[in-house]
Every structure is written in structure tokens, then in C-alpha cells.
Amino acid sequence: MTLGNRLSVATSSAFLIAAVITSPAAFADGTASADTSRSAFRAQAVAAGLTATEATALQNGVDAVLARDGGRQTAANEIRYADGRLLLPLPGEKYARELGKSGDASAAAHTCTYKALCGYSGSGYTGAEREWFSCAFHKKPSGWTSGGSWYNNQTRGRVGNWYDANKRWLGSTPPAPYGTKYGQWRGVGYVKPC
């Protein structure tokens, strides 16, 4: 190999290494991946009929929940956890729903997935919806400090339990299926769906 070829190979290799090191996808903190995902979720929201401003507002809401309670965003208005998920209502809507499903609020009933215990940030099954599936202690969403509602949609006869911040039992739900449009998150620290 001639000196010119070696310099050319060395120069090409240096540029390739520099490109990989400075490439946004190479950041160890996952920033570029998160930015790419946010763009995809924003596009998903716009495709579902939200304006650019509404899509940005929705993403800001998701980011706030992620910062407080962790989880992983899996759709424009959905955050997944090891034990379930949280759905945020779309801007201008009262009820949480999966994108692509009807937003007809006239049905005003719970949207709790079968075999889950669900909490809602607002009364009458409005606001954000948190679903819990596994029989373990789960922290309630940190922003839920008053009001709310819940639906026990676990297998027939199963109860859900509420605990305070020290995991002292506060009470149980009636056997599934059962819900209340007027609950109270104040004082609740943990939920156990069994």
C-alpha cells in the first residue's frame, strides 16, 4: 500500500470514527434516541388529528409525568410501566383513550382494561388513566393529590387495596367488577390490585 493510500485510509477512518462519536445516536444518555422518539410520537399525534400546538402540549404533559414517575413512552399519550400503563387524555378531551379509538365522550364509562385495577385522576373516569395488573405494591401517580375515581375490572370477585405512603392498609374495593365515579386520592400512597 502506498503512502497516499495509507493516508487516504487513515483519513477516511478518522472521519468515520469522528462521525460515530459525534453522531446524535451515539450519545450514551440516549438523548438522540429520545429526541427521535419524541418526533415520532409528535407525528403520531398530528396524524391522529391533533394540531402541532396540541401535539406539543401533549408531549409536554408526557414529559412531565416521565420526569416525576418514570416509565417509558410507547405512544403519543401512553406511558408503560412494568406493572401496567398510564394514558393521558388528548388536549381538549376529558377522557383518556388509545389513539385511533373513538373519543365519543357520550359513553362516559370507564375504559379500564379487563384484569386491571384502574385509577383516574378526575371524577367520573376523566383525566389520566393508570392501569395496574400485577399483585404487588405500586405507587400511585405522584400528581394525584385529591379527587379522582377508580374502576376494579379484575377477574370477577377480586378486590383491590389502597395503602398510605407507609404501606398501611386504608381499605379495599368491592369485588370486581365495580367502580366509583367519585373517589379520593388524598392519603393514598400505594395501590395493590389483589
Side-chain angles (χ1 to χ4, degrees), residues 19-128:
V20 169
I21 290 172
T22 61
S23 168
F27 292 137
D29 68 358
T31 304
S33 296
D35 289 343
T36 302
S37 295
R38 281 187 187 95
S39 295
F41 294 134
R42 189 172 187 283
Q44 180 188 44
V46 170
L50 273 64
T51 67
T53 302
E54 290 171 332
T56 298
L58 178 60
Q59 186 60 53
N60 289 343
V62 168
D63 289 343
V65 172
L66 290 169
R68 281 192 320 258
D69 296 329
R72 182 175 55 88
Q73 185 175 4
T74 53
N77 68 328
E78 179 182 74
I79 298 170
R80 286 275 175 181
Y81 301 93
D83 65 311
R85 70 176 178 172
L86 182 129
L87 285 174
L88 294 172
L90 300 178
E93 294 185 7
K94 291 172 48 175
Y95 301 92
R97 64 179 172 94
E98 291 180 18
L99 288 180
K101 290 194 176 179
S102 172
D104 181 11
S106 65
H110 76 86
T111 53
C112 188
T113 302
Y114 179 58
K115 295 188 178 181
L117 175 62
C118 296
Y120 300 85
S121 60
S123 63
Y125 312 123
T126 62

Side-chain angles (χ1 to χ4, degrees), residues 120-124 140 144-150 181-186 188:
Y120 300 85
S121 60
S123 63
K140 72 154 176 143
W144 296 9
T145 56
S146 66
S149 50
W150 55 266
K181 291 185 176 189
Y182 303 100
Q184 182 56 257
W185 290 110
R186 186 179 306 117
V188 176

Side-chain angles (χ1 to χ4, degrees), residues 134-188:
S134 62
C135 183
F137 285 100
H138 307 289
K139 285 191 88 159
K140 72 154 176 143
S142 59
W144 296 9
T145 56
S146 66
S149 50
W150 55 266
Y151 197 87
N152 180 7
N153 205 23
Q154 299 179 88
T155 54
R156 184 167 291 282
R158 198 167 208 184
V159 299
N161 292 282
W162 314 119
Y163 297 83
D164 70 10
N166 296 310
K167 296 184 179 175
R168 288 186 298 241
W169 183 77
L170 298 172
S172 298
T173 69
Y178 187 89
T180 182
K181 291 185 176 189
Y182 303 100
Q184 182 56 257
W185 290 110
R186 186 179 306 117
V188 176

